[in-house]
Amino acid sequence: MSASKDTLTITDNRTGKRYEVAVVDGTIRAMDLRQIKADEEDFGLMTYDPAFMNTASCKSAITFIDGDKGILEYRGYPIEQLAEQSNYLEVAYLLLHGELPTGEELKQWTWNVTHHTFINENIKKVLDGFHYNAHPMGMFEAMVAALSTFYPESKNIFDEECRRKQIHRLIAKVPTVAAFAFRHRVGMQYAYPDNDLSYEANFLNMMFKTTELKYQPNPVLERALSVLFILHADHEQNCSTNTMRSIGSAHTDPYSCVAGAAAALYGPLHGGANEAVLKMLDEIGSIERVPEYIKKVKDGEFRLMGFGHRVYKNYDPRARIIKQVADEVFEVTGKDPLLDIALELERIALEDEYFVKRRLYPNVDFYSGIIYRAMKLPVNMFPVMFAIPRTSGWLAQWVEMLGDADQKIARPRQIYLGQRTREYVPMEKRNGGAEGQAAGG
Ligand code: CMC
């Protein structure tokens, strides 16, 4: 009997039995494998996929990536067009609502976000508890989590109106929280939001305002920030978004979800990479030392930060746009000498067999740090600069997850390889060694 086209026939060589499972959207359902059993007692076949290398955890209509071709689209719109013609708040609307806003919708959306930028004064007391040298990302995570205690109604995640309000609040307050964390670290008085300014200009105001009555950012830097925010707004099922969905699947409030997602973003393999890139460029120090550094990377001593991507096996389209933005920013700020080192590093790496063979290209983080540094942002603010715009992407993915009937609490399976049902050993009978280590581990 020949199988119909959209199915997969599996022969279990342990039993000789054949199974037919449906192929839908290029995938099979892992649960369809559970019926495949070696014997009556068998739990059923599972897949083993650490790090989700080949597992779709959800259906989504938000962001499309073709990693081989280097394509990135939000809701079907190419990232290049959005970066050129849109601004961050419009893109955030697009991610959350699925369509570009009309003029009236954008006006209302911008008003809603702009009028939630203030944070409760008590949040400042939370901030005061941190050391003067606390990492801003640690403060950011803690303060976003703390916001959940100020808005206990945010637990009503299936109340659409309430959910909408928390979304406005979160997108509005993350720049305030970020800028306050920065000010705490440098020991400057907090600068309050200015509702006359754009989202990006207000952020620069809260970061850098000193004695002037009205802060007016350089329009080139304001625009560059908008483009950087657009490029960082979403990236489908990356580590932090997966964290957002995973925490959200337990029906946790959105502030706690965003705090958890930000913690995932903090890692140097994810949003912390832009910070690591700058440290790396500083360490290299001069163009002459680039070949020596590349050799160490190839010898496996460390990785070339800002290079490589799980999904892109081509030039990251975001890196290409950022490179253009860098030129515009440097015209205003003057060129950062680290740019020459970065360009040389990229040139050599793109010609080198090690990188070519592994299809390692610059990713979004390779150039973003250099721009942020030119804007006078300290290196430790870089992951925070990623978290601000990614908040809209996390929220869009969270809303999509809550409305998806296929989703349940995220709960992977494991392959248990440890000991089974043993007798408890009283302390005086333990002989250390392997047993002691097992208890410690
Ligand atoms: N430098 C040198 N070698 C690398 C690098 C790198 N940056 N990235 C991957 N490789 C090598 C790796 O050693 C492995 O080689 P081999 O096959 O000989 O063992 C091969 O390339 C495949 O690497 P992998 O670790 O299996 O790839 P992955 O998909 O698990 O990792 C990654 C993706 C982004 C974690 C990794 O490329 C990396 O560590 N890059 C540096 C950190 C970085 O820039 N992260 C920012 C990612 S983009 C922003 C974001 O979305 O957060």
Side-chain angles (χ1 to χ4, degrees), residues 51 53 232 235 238-240 265 267-274 276-277 297-298 302-313 316 318 354-355 357-360 363-366 386 390:
M53 295 289 287
H232 286 87
H235 213 232
N238 55 85
C239 178
S240 58
L265 187 72
L269 298 189
H270 192 8
N274 50 14
V277 170
V297 170
K298 286 161 61 178
F302 36 70
R303 289 190 167 201
L304 189 57
M305 299 315 285
F307 256 70
H309 200 276
R310 171 64 57 79
V311 180
Y312 293 119
K313 300 301 169 198
D316 182 336
R318 300 170 298 175
Y354 175 95
F355 296 89
K357 206 171 95 196
R358 291 170 178 77
R359 302 178 74 187
L360 300 169
N363 60 49
V364 68
D365 287 324
F366 194 65
F386 198 153
R390 185 56 62 88

Side-chain angles (χ1 to χ4, degrees), residues 3-42:
S4 72
K5 237 168 133 196
D6 295 329
T7 62
L8 179 75
T9 302
I10 301 164
T11 306
D12 186 346
N13 293 324
R14 298 171 302 176
T15 59
K17 283 194 190 158
R18 265 159 63 101
Y19 303 83
E20 195 172 316
V21 295
V23 177
V24 181
D25 297 325
T27 56
I28 59 162
R29 288 219 171 217
M31 277 304 285
D32 283 350
L33 302 179
R34 191 68 74 73
Q35 58 180 313
I36 303 174
K37 297 183 178 198
D39 54 52
E40 276 300 297
E41 296 290 296
D42 190 1

Side-chain angles (χ1 to χ4, degrees), residues 397-409:
Q397 300 272 350
W398 172 72
V399 170
E400 185 175 64
M401 189 247 340
L402 292 177
D404 182 347
D406 278 354
Q407 292 294 337
K408 287 167 177 264
I409 187 164

